[in-house]
């Protein structure tokens, strides 16, 4: 938004392409939008009509010019905006993506291996601060940053739509970066810059064990996985310490359960197991426990793909240890620190953590459960919570049935007027059932405490890891939107970062004003 010029310029990046998802260098290669990119273009058109008009206090009218790169991915994005504002699109090759020469069409690993010098130049271009001599360098067969900046700025300067009006330019990430560089260099003198990201619906998580992880995750888990877990079914399932952890837990819990259904329950409810409320409810709960135990212990908890090496574009941000320095994320007006994982060579997404047992970074890491032999994270947390709730109710019913059994035994032996000493005699004669009762009592209190604990932290939208390490001071949890909304997000919409509104996150290498160094953010 040039304060000394009589118009506002809104610069829009095109929607997603398949090469974006594959992390391939596009440059001037004419790659079309994919289905998600076309949806992004439609959402962007809505934002032009609403968010930009509201934030910049300018009108989007029929005569608003829409400039576009001549490449198809940008032109199709511009056409979506043009349909929303009933305007005409003017294509201009000066808004085309920068020519990246010999590295176009390559993945970053291919480019770094085959054209190390050219890739090094490109990596410098992607850093936050670019020296003047770097901006003049060209990739083999391509153009320099400075050439891109000059042609794009010239295009916009010639597009003056008149006083108090707006021009919309649809272009590419490289060109947009140079326009921002030009604006920031003139900040306070000629230009004021407003950043706005079009919110995108993250899509429903669905049923992970049925649909599987998204393509980039599936490719890593199927072909390049390097953690300690055993991954199968295209990344749908991942098991950790099956033996002795998961198998021991299964044996110690389901063994007594089988004995209970075979011997004890038929005695107390002869012929009524599948007709009485108690019998039916226990059968249903037992089935739920079996299913949720399997999914909690065997489902991929949210393994994040790792990089083979530190991304070259981060080489300009190294600290004295030789790893990229911390970044800062501003979420819900609260700033938290984002740590680089030196094992996985990634910046961990919010609320993620590297598990030393499984050797994986896990999305929304809650804890590593020794009894399950697996991490509990984004994908299997709901199954874990259902497991402890259903186990609590089932064990309470087992205790009730066991007490009824002792009463029946005393009544059969001593008649309806049996006393306390008579019950003690029955207990002494039925030590196996007494042991089962004490075992259920111990387990019931254990899972009841777990159920209460996870109810409390769910209401506060905390993970076990965050709560135990006291990450947030009171009132400083950026994910806490009230008990009801927190639970809706955790159990119904776990794919969302925030319980309400758009998942808007600002990132930078310098702390935002809301950052407090006293908080324990080192693991975030």
């Amino acid at each position: 938004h040039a304060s000394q010029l009589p118009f506002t310029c809104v610069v829009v990046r095109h929607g997603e392409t398949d090469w974006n998802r594959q992390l391939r260098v596009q440059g001037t290669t004419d790659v079309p939008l994919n289905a998600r990119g076309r949806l992004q273009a439609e959402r962007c058109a809505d934002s032009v009509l609403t968010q930009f008009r509201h934030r910049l206090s300018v009108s989007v009218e029929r005569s608003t010019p829409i400039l576009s790169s001549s490449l198809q991915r940008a032109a199709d994005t511009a056409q979506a905006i043009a349909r929303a504002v009933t305007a005409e699109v003017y294509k201009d090759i000066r808004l085309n993506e920068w020519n990246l020469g010999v590295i176009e069409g390559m993945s970053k690993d291919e480019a770094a291996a085959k054209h190390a010098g050219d890739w090094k130049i490109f990596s410098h271009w992607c850093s936050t601060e670019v020296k003047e001599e770097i901006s003049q360098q060209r990739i083999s067969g391509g153009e320099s940053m400075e050439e891109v900046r000059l042609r794009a700025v010239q295009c916009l300067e010639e597009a003056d739509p008149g006083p108090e009006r707006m021009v919309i330019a649809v272009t590419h990430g490289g060109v947009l970066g140079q326009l921002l560089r030009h604006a920031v260099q003139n900040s306070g003198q000629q230009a004021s810059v407003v950043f706005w990201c079009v919110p995108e619906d993250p899509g429903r998580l669905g049923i992970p064990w049925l649909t599987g992880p998204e393509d980039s995750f599936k490719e890593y888990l199927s072909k390049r996985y390097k953690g300690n877990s055993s991954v199968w079914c295209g990344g749908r399932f991942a098991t950790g310490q099956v033996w002795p952890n998961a198998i021991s837990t299964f044996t110690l819990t389901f063994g007594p359960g089988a004995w209970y259904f075979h011997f004890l329950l038929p005695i107390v409810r002869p012929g009524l197991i599948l007709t009485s409320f108690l019998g039916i409810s226990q059968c249903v709960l037992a089935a739920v426990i079996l299913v949720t135990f399997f999914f909690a212990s065997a489902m991929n908890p949210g393994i994040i793909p790792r990089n083979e090496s530190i991304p070259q574009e981060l080489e300009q941000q190294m600290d004295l240890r030789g790893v990229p320095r911390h970044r800062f994320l501003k979420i819900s007006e609260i700033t938290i620190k984002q740590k680089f994982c030196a094992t996985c060579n990634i910046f961990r997404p919010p609320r993620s953590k590297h598990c030393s047992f499984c050797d994986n970074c896990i999305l929304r890491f809650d804890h590593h459960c020794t009894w399950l032999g697996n991490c509990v994270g984004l994908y299997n947390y709901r199954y874990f919570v259902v497991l402890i709730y259903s186990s609590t109710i089932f064990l309470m019913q087992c205790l009730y049935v066991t007490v009824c059994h002792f009463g029946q035994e005393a009544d059969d032996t001593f008649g309806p007027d049996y006393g306390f000493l008579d019950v003690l005699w029955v207990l002494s004669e039925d030590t196996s059932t007494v042991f089962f009762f004490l075992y259920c009592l111990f387990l019931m209190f254990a899972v009841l405490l777990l159920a209460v604990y996870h109810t409390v932290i769910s209401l506060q939208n905390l993970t076990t890891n965050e709560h135990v390490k006291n990450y947030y001071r009171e009132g400083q949890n950026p994910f806490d939107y009230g008990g009801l909304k927190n639970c809706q997000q955790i159990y119904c919409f776990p794919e969302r970062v925030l319980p309400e509104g758009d998942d808007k996150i600002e990132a930078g290498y310098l702390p935002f004003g809301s950052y407090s160094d006293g908080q324990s953010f080192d693991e975030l």
Side-chain angles (χ1 to χ4, degrees):
H1 178 204
S3 56
Q4 294 184 2
L5 296 176
F7 69 94
T8 295
C9 179
V10 174
V11 185
V12 179
R13 181 185 179 274
H14 63 80
E16 183 186 81
T17 69
D18 287 336
W19 279 23
N20 288 140
R21 292 189 68 84
Q22 298 164 11
L23 301 179
R24 306 189 76 83
V25 180
Q26 293 185 116
T28 55
T29 306
D30 204 0
V31 184
L33 298 175
N34 59 21
R36 185 181 182 190
R38 291 190 290 272
L39 178 61
Q40 290 171 339
E42 297 297 333
R43 291 178 64 86
C44 182
D46 294 336
S47 286
V48 168
L49 286 172
T50 56
Q51 298 293 347
F52 283 120
R53 181 170 55 193
H54 169 70
R55 287 170 175 264
L56 302 178
S57 300
V58 293
S59 60
V60 183
E61 298 177 2
R62 186 181 184 86
S63 58
T64 298
I66 300 179
L67 305 178
S68 171
S69 155
S70 64
L71 298 178
Q72 184 179 351
R73 57 187 182 272
D76 288 348
T77 304
Q79 288 294 343
I81 298 173
R83 287 193 294 271
V85 300
T86 60
E88 187 174 352
V89 175
Y90 302 91
K91 295 181 182 179
D92 194 315
I93 62 173
R94 290 176 294 181
L95 292 177
N96 284 11
E97 180 64 294
W98 63 26
N99 187 339
L100 295 175
V102 294
I103 66 172
E104 286 191 11
M106 296 184 180
S107 68
K108 63 178 183 179
D109 292 334
E110 289 177 304
K114 296 179 180 179
H115 302 282
D118 292 314
W119 180 253
K120 187 175 182 180
I121 294 174
F122 180 72
S123 299
H124 283 303
W125 290 353
C126 295
S127 63
T128 53
E129 297 180 4
V130 180
K131 296 180 180 179
E132 188 63 30
E133 59 268 24
I134 298 295
S135 69
Q136 303 289 344
Q137 293 180 350
R138 289 185 178 183
I139 287 178
S140 301
E143 58 185 333
S144 69
M145 281 179 63
E146 185 63 14
E147 289 172 323
V148 174
R149 183 185 70 84
L150 290 175
R151 63 175 167 85
V153 169
Q154 182 186 42
C155 174
L156 297 186
E157 287 178 343
E158 293 177 2
D160 184 350
E164 302 299 326
R165 301 297 303 281
M166 179 171 74
V167 60
I168 300 171
V170 183
T171 182
H172 308 263
V175 178
L176 192 151
Q178 298 318 305
L179 290 172
L180 288 177
R181 173 170 161 254
H182 177 81
V184 170
Q185 287 175 349
N186 293 281
S187 179
Q189 300 175 11
Q190 293 181 339
S192 59
V193 183
V194 176
F195 298 91
W196 174 253
C197 295
V198 178
E200 182 180 3
D201 188 344
R204 293 302 307 275
L205 183 61
I207 307 175
W209 57 265
L210 185 62
T211 59
E214 58 183 89
D215 292 341
S216 59
F217 282 52
K218 185 182 297 183
E219 189 273 335
Y220 166 75
L221 293 168
S222 302
K223 301 177 182 179
R224 301 186 291 110
Y225 177 69
K226 291 189 176 180
N228 292 335
S229 300
S230 299
V231 178
W232 33 295
C233 291
R236 291 172 173 82
F237 299 97
T239 51
Q241 299 77 43
V242 176
W243 173 259
N245 301 53
I247 292 178
S248 298
T249 303
F250 183 88
T251 303
L252 292 172
T253 53
F254 293 99
W259 176 86
Y260 168 79
F261 271 102
H262 185 70
F263 292 104
L264 191 57
L265 188 58
I267 295 174
V268 178
R269 289 289 187 271
L272 298 176
I273 293 179
L274 296 179
T275 56
S276 67
F277 172 78
L278 178 64
I280 293 173
S281 64
Q282 288 221 281
C283 290
V284 171
L285 286 170
V288 170
I289 292 170
L290 280 169
V291 171
T292 54
F293 178 87
F294 171 77
F295 283 126
S297 61
M299 179 178 285
N300 174 1
I303 298 173
I304 305 171
R306 67 176 66 183
N307 291 320
E308 298 290 337
S309 59
I310 296 176
Q312 203 161 3
E313 58 267 24
L314 297 178
E315 290 182 356
Q316 306 301 312
Q317 304 296 338
M318 297 293 191
D319 61 16
L320 296 177
R321 299 171 299 168
V323 298
R325 56 196 176 100
H326 294 319
R327 288 196 306 207
F328 296 88
L329 303 179
K330 187 176 182 182
I331 305 173
S332 301
E333 303 303 319
I334 297 173
T335 300
I336 60 178
K337 187 184 289 183
Q338 185 184 32
K339 189 176 181 181
F340 185 86
C341 178
T343 303
C344 297
N345 291 314
I346 60 170
F347 273 106
R348 297 174 189 161
R351 318 191 80 175
S352 302
K353 186 179 185 295
H354 190 92
C355 173
S356 58
F357 294 98
C358 300
D359 194 27
N360 299 310
C361 276
I362 303 296
L363 290 168
R364 202 185 183 278
F365 177 83
D366 190 84
H367 69 287
H368 180 88
C369 182
T370 303
W371 300 104
L372 297 175
N374 199 7
C375 287
V376 177
L378 177 69
Y379 293 156
N380 63 348
Y381 181 75
R382 291 181 290 183
Y383 296 101
F384 172 78
V385 172
V386 174
L387 172 64
I388 58 177
Y389 284 163
S390 55
S391 297
T392 301
I393 299 171
F394 180 81
L395 288 166
M396 288 179 176
Q397 291 181 330
C398 288
L399 292 173
Y400 168 75
V401 169
T402 307
V403 170
C404 291
H405 169 68
F406 291 142
Q408 287 181 357
E409 287 292 305
D411 183 75
D412 292 342
T413 305
F414 301 103
D417 297 327
Y418 64 86
F420 178 71
L421 294 178
D422 299 327
V423 174
L424 291 180
W425 185 89
V426 169
L427 296 179
S428 67
E429 292 294 311
D430 195 356
T431 54
S432 60
T433 308
V434 171
F435 177 79
F436 177 78
F437 177 83
L438 295 175
Y439 187 65
C440 288
L441 186 66
F442 170 77
L443 289 181
M444 190 273 292
F445 277 115
V447 294
L448 176 62
L449 289 175
L450 266 179
V452 172
Y453 175 78
H454 281 276
T455 299
V456 172
I457 64 173
S458 293
L459 290 171
Q460 300 175 53
N461 207 341
L462 290 171
T463 65
T464 300
N465 181 59
E466 292 167 346
H467 182 260
V468 170
K469 296 190 175 181
N470 194 26
Y471 275 140
Y472 313 114
R473 294 175 180 171
E474 186 175 353
Q476 293 296 307
N477 180 1
F479 309 103
D480 185 4
Y481 278 67
L484 179 59
K485 291 178 181 177
N486 291 341
C487 290
Q488 286 177 336
Q489 181 217 357
I490 293 170
Y491 300 112
C492 301
F493 309 102
E495 67 278 357
R496 299 196 62 85
V497 177
L498 299 175
E500 184 179 61
D502 299 323
D503 287 342
K504 182 182 177 182
I505 301 175
E506 297 180 52
Y509 286 98
L510 296 176
F512 297 94
S514 58
Y515 175 68
S516 173
D517 200 36
Q519 295 178 283
S520 303
F521 293 127
D522 282 347
E523 295 296 335
L524 279 179

